[in-house]
Amino acid sequence: MRGGNLQAARWLALLVPAVLMLGALGSQYLGGLYPCEMCHWQRWPHYAAIVLALLSFVAPRTSARVALVLLAGIAIAISGGIGVFHAGVEYGWWQGITGCATPFSGGGGDMLDAIMKAPVIRCDVPQWTLAGISLAGFNAIFSLVGALGIFVLAGKRA
C-alpha cells in the first residue's frame, strides 16, 4: 500500500466516526434530540472506530496501522448496518427488537419524579428527518460509504 493511501484511509477512519459523533452529540445536547436505545447502539462502534483510528497513527509498523484502519472500517460499517436496521424500524419495514428507551440523568431531587418527567423516546419514530431520511438513515449512508472508502483506500497497492 502506498503511504498516501494509508494516510488517507487513516484520516477517513478517524474523521467519519468523529464527525458523525459530533453531529449525534450536538443534536442531543444542543438540539434536544434525545437518542433512543438503537441510537445508542449505533454510537458504540463509532467510539471503537475513533480509538482504533487514533491508534493507527501511533502504531510502529505499517502492518499494524493497516490492521487498525481495517478494524476501524469494520466498526464504522457495523454502525452503518445498525443504522440500516434502525431506519427500517422507523420506516415500518420490519419490527424492532427493543422497547423504548428513556434517558435519565440522576442526581438530586426526587428520582421517581425525574423518571416520570423524562421524555419517552420511541425507536420506531424518527425525531428528525431531512428529505424523508432520518438520523439513523443518514448514519447508515455516511457510515457505509465511509467504510467502503476506507476499504478501497486500504486495499490499494503501490
Side-chain angles (χ1 to χ4, degrees):
M1 174 188 305
R2 291 191 333 231
N5 290 335
L6 176 58
Q7 189 72 356
R10 286 194 297 183
W11 279 108
L12 195 57
L14 178 62
L15 292 176
V16 167
V19 168
L20 288 171
M21 285 310 306
L22 282 173
L25 294 170
S27 68
Q28 178 180 346
Y29 292 108
L30 301 175
L33 299 177
Y34 294 99
C36 71
E37 188 173 352
M38 283 194 272
C39 292
H40 283 292
W41 294 353
Q42 293 169 78
R43 293 178 182 194
W44 289 108
H46 283 314
Y47 295 139
I50 291 168
V51 170
L52 291 164
L54 286 171
L55 289 173
S56 78
F57 283 94
V58 298
R61 294 186 322 272
T62 301
S63 61
R65 290 183 207 132
V66 172
L68 289 164
V69 166
L70 291 174
L71 288 172
I74 290 168
I76 294 166
I78 289 170
S79 179
I82 297 168
V84 168
F85 179 76
H86 188 186
V89 171
E90 291 175 333
Y91 299 136
W93 298 339
W94 46 71
Q95 281 285 345
I97 57 174
T98 181
C100 297
T102 303
F104 172 70
S105 56
D110 182 13
M111 190 180 302
L112 180 58
D113 186 51
I115 291 171
M116 297 306 291
K117 288 182 180 176
V120 174
I121 308 303
R122 294 178 50 120
C123 293
D124 61 345
V125 178
Q127 292 187 60
W128 181 89
T129 62
L130 177 65
I133 302 172
S134 68
L135 290 172
F138 279 112
N139 178 58
I141 293 166
F142 293 131
S143 294
L144 294 174
V145 169
L148 180 62
I150 292 164
F151 297 143
V152 167
L153 287 168
K156 287 189 177 185
R157 301 284 178 207

